[in-house]
Amino acid sequence: TFDPPHLGHEQCIRAALDVLPSATVIVSPTPAPVPVSGGSQKFARFDLSERVDLCKTAFESMGEQIVVEAIEEGMPAPHYTFRTLQVLRPRCDRLWLLLGADQFGQLDRWRDPASLLAAASVLVVSRTGFGTDMATRLSRACRSEWMAKGVDRLWCRDLSSEVIFCAHPAFDASSTVVR
Protein backbone atom coordinates (compact mmCIF):
# COMPACT_ATOMS: atom_id res chain seq x y z
CA THR A 1 0.00 0.00 0.00
CA PHE A 2 3.05 2.26 0.51
CA ASP A 3 1.35 3.71 3.60
CA PRO A 4 3.89 5.28 3.95
CA PRO A 5 6.82 4.39 1.67
CA HIS A 6 10.06 3.72 3.59
CA LEU A 7 13.70 2.65 3.19
CA GLY A 8 12.72 -1.02 3.12
CA HIS A 9 10.73 -0.36 -0.07
CA GLU A 10 13.74 1.44 -1.56
CA GLN A 11 16.02 -1.48 -0.66
CA CYS A 12 13.62 -3.94 -2.32
CA ILE A 13 13.58 -1.85 -5.50
CA ARG A 14 17.38 -1.65 -5.52
CA ALA A 15 17.60 -5.43 -5.05
CA ALA A 16 15.18 -5.94 -7.96
CA LEU A 17 17.25 -3.69 -10.21
CA ASP A 18 20.37 -5.69 -9.28
CA VAL A 19 18.65 -8.82 -10.62
CA LEU A 20 16.76 -7.14 -13.52
CA PRO A 21 18.96 -4.13 -14.37
CA SER A 22 17.06 -3.03 -17.48
CA ALA A 23 13.62 -3.23 -15.84
CA THR A 24 11.24 -0.37 -15.31
CA VAL A 25 9.80 -0.53 -11.79
CA ILE A 26 6.19 0.60 -11.50
CA VAL A 27 5.31 1.63 -7.96
CA SER A 28 1.54 1.63 -7.57
CA PRO A 29 -0.03 2.49 -4.22
CA THR A 30 -3.44 0.89 -3.85
CA PRO A 31 -6.50 3.05 -3.05
CA ALA A 32 -7.57 0.79 -0.17
CA PRO A 33 -5.85 -2.20 1.44
CA VAL A 34 -7.50 -5.59 0.94
CA PRO A 35 -7.52 -7.86 4.01
CA VAL A 36 -5.83 -11.22 3.56
CA SER A 37 -7.99 -14.26 4.19
CA GLY A 38 -8.55 -14.54 7.91
CA GLY A 39 -7.01 -11.13 8.55
CA SER A 40 -8.56 -7.91 9.74
CA GLN A 41 -9.42 -4.95 7.51
CA LYS A 42 -6.65 -2.34 7.38
CA PHE A 43 -7.29 1.33 6.77
CA ALA A 44 -4.85 3.62 4.98
CA ARG A 45 -3.40 6.39 7.11
CA PHE A 46 -2.71 8.56 4.05
CA ASP A 47 -5.11 8.95 1.14
CA LEU A 48 -4.11 7.74 -2.32
CA SER A 49 -2.93 11.09 -3.69
CA GLU A 50 -0.78 11.66 -0.58
CA ARG A 51 0.80 8.21 -0.95
CA VAL A 52 1.48 8.78 -4.66
CA ASP A 53 3.20 12.08 -3.79
CA LEU A 54 5.15 10.42 -0.94
CA CYS A 55 6.30 7.65 -3.31
CA LYS A 56 7.39 10.15 -5.96
CA THR A 57 9.42 12.00 -3.36
CA ALA A 58 10.84 8.83 -1.80
CA PHE A 59 11.95 7.23 -5.07
CA GLU A 60 12.80 10.21 -7.31
CA SER A 61 16.53 9.96 -6.55
CA MET A 62 16.55 6.39 -7.94
CA GLY A 63 16.19 7.61 -11.52
CA GLU A 64 13.87 7.27 -14.48
CA GLN A 65 13.54 3.49 -14.14
CA ILE A 66 11.12 4.11 -11.27
CA VAL A 67 7.61 5.16 -12.29
CA VAL A 68 4.96 5.98 -9.69
CA GLU A 69 1.44 5.49 -10.97
CA ALA A 70 -1.96 5.01 -9.30
CA ILE A 71 -3.00 2.16 -11.61
CA GLU A 72 -5.94 1.02 -9.46
CA GLU A 73 -7.46 4.50 -9.21
CA GLY A 74 -10.87 4.26 -10.83
CA MET A 75 -10.85 0.45 -10.80
CA PRO A 76 -13.71 -1.13 -8.84
CA ALA A 77 -12.90 -2.32 -5.34
CA PRO A 78 -11.68 -4.63 -3.97
CA HIS A 79 -8.23 -4.01 -5.48
CA TYR A 80 -6.77 -7.49 -5.86
CA THR A 81 -3.21 -7.74 -7.18
CA PHE A 82 -4.10 -10.25 -9.90
CA ARG A 83 -6.54 -7.72 -11.42
CA THR A 84 -3.91 -4.98 -11.41
CA LEU A 85 -1.44 -7.32 -13.11
CA GLN A 86 -4.04 -8.15 -15.77
CA VAL A 87 -4.34 -4.40 -16.50
CA LEU A 88 -0.54 -4.04 -16.69
CA ARG A 89 0.11 -7.22 -18.71
CA PRO A 90 -0.59 -5.73 -22.19
CA ARG A 91 1.83 -2.87 -21.46
CA CYS A 92 4.83 -5.10 -20.68
CA ASP A 93 6.94 -7.60 -22.61
CA ARG A 94 7.62 -9.45 -19.37
CA LEU A 95 5.87 -8.58 -16.15
CA TRP A 96 7.41 -9.19 -12.72
CA LEU A 97 5.77 -8.68 -9.35
CA LEU A 98 8.18 -7.59 -6.62
CA LEU A 99 7.31 -8.96 -3.18
CA GLY A 100 9.03 -9.15 0.16
CA ALA A 101 9.46 -12.69 1.48
CA ASP A 102 6.91 -11.96 4.23
CA GLN A 103 4.16 -11.23 1.68
CA PHE A 104 5.26 -14.07 -0.60
CA GLY A 105 4.95 -16.41 2.37
CA GLN A 106 1.26 -15.48 2.58
CA LEU A 107 0.55 -15.85 -1.15
CA ASP A 108 -1.60 -18.92 -0.53
CA ARG A 109 -3.98 -16.60 1.39
CA TRP A 110 -4.25 -14.04 -1.46
CA ARG A 111 -7.19 -13.89 -3.86
CA ASP A 112 -6.58 -16.14 -6.88
CA PRO A 113 -2.80 -16.71 -6.67
CA ALA A 114 -2.90 -18.87 -9.83
CA SER A 115 -4.20 -15.91 -11.90
CA LEU A 116 -1.59 -13.69 -10.30
CA LEU A 117 1.21 -16.10 -11.21
CA ALA A 118 -0.20 -16.59 -14.72
CA ALA A 119 -0.01 -12.82 -15.28
CA ALA A 120 3.48 -12.25 -13.88
CA SER A 121 6.62 -13.89 -12.65
CA VAL A 122 7.65 -12.97 -9.11
CA LEU A 123 10.87 -11.57 -7.70
CA VAL A 124 10.98 -12.29 -3.96
CA VAL A 125 13.29 -10.13 -1.86
CA SER A 126 14.53 -11.60 1.40
CA ARG A 127 13.36 -10.12 4.65
CA THR A 128 14.58 -10.80 8.18
CA GLY A 129 12.88 -13.86 9.64
CA PHE A 130 11.37 -15.18 6.41
CA GLY A 131 12.81 -18.12 4.53
CA THR A 132 12.49 -18.82 0.83
CA ASP A 133 11.69 -22.57 0.83
CA MET A 134 8.24 -22.07 -0.67
CA ALA A 135 7.76 -24.62 -3.50
CA THR A 136 5.34 -26.77 -1.49
CA ARG A 137 3.24 -23.81 -0.42
CA LEU A 138 3.11 -22.46 -3.97
CA SER A 139 2.05 -25.82 -5.35
CA ARG A 140 -0.76 -26.01 -2.79
CA ALA A 141 -1.88 -22.39 -3.41
CA CYS A 142 -1.95 -22.66 -7.19
CA ARG A 143 -2.80 -26.33 -7.54
CA SER A 144 0.13 -26.71 -9.93
CA GLU A 145 3.54 -28.26 -9.59
CA TRP A 146 6.45 -25.95 -8.92
CA MET A 147 9.93 -27.28 -9.60
CA ALA A 148 13.33 -26.06 -8.45
CA LYS A 149 15.35 -24.51 -11.25
CA GLY A 150 18.64 -23.92 -9.51
CA VAL A 151 19.22 -22.74 -5.98
CA ASP A 152 17.26 -19.50 -6.21
CA ARG A 153 14.56 -20.18 -8.83
CA LEU A 154 11.26 -22.02 -9.11
CA TRP A 155 9.42 -22.74 -12.34
CA CYS A 156 5.81 -23.71 -13.04
CA ARG A 157 5.27 -25.27 -16.46
CA ASP A 158 1.45 -24.99 -16.22
CA LEU A 159 1.53 -21.23 -15.64
CA SER A 160 4.73 -20.41 -17.61
CA SER A 161 5.72 -18.48 -14.52
CA GLU A 162 8.94 -18.16 -12.61
CA VAL A 163 9.86 -17.14 -9.07
CA ILE A 164 13.32 -15.76 -8.34
CA PHE A 165 14.55 -15.37 -4.77
CA CYS A 166 16.83 -12.40 -4.28
CA ALA A 167 18.94 -12.37 -1.17
CA HIS A 168 20.22 -8.96 -0.14
CA PRO A 169 21.18 -7.31 3.11
CA ALA A 170 17.77 -7.00 4.71
CA PHE A 171 16.68 -3.59 5.92
CA ASP A 172 14.03 -4.56 8.40
CA ALA A 173 11.27 -1.99 8.11
CA SER A 174 7.53 -1.99 7.75
CA SER A 175 4.93 0.69 7.13
CA THR A 176 3.13 -0.45 10.29
CA VAL A 177 6.22 0.33 12.39
CA VAL A 178 6.82 3.65 10.56
CA ARG A 179 3.23 4.76 11.22
Side-chain angles (χ1 to χ4, degrees), residues 97-117:
L97 175 64
L98 175 60
L99 290 176
D102 59 325
Q103 288 300 311
F104 184 73
Q106 297 180 35
L107 197 61
D108 58 340
R109 295 172 49 195
W110 287 31
R111 177 64 58 121
D112 203 351
S115 290
L116 183 150
L117 290 160

Side-chain angles (χ1 to χ4, degrees), residues 10 13-14 17 21 23-27 55-68:
E10 182 180 331
I13 292 170
R14 289 189 190 286
L17 290 174
T24 297
V25 176
I26 301 171
V27 174
C55 286
K56 286 179 179 177
T57 300
F59 306 127
E60 69 185 349
S61 67
M62 297 180 73
E64 294 179 10
Q65 281 182 273
I66 314 305
V67 176
V68 179

Side-chain angles (χ1 to χ4, degrees), residues 2 65 79 85 98 118 126:
F2 298 97
Q65 281 182 273
H79 300 102
L85 294 173
L98 175 60
S126 63

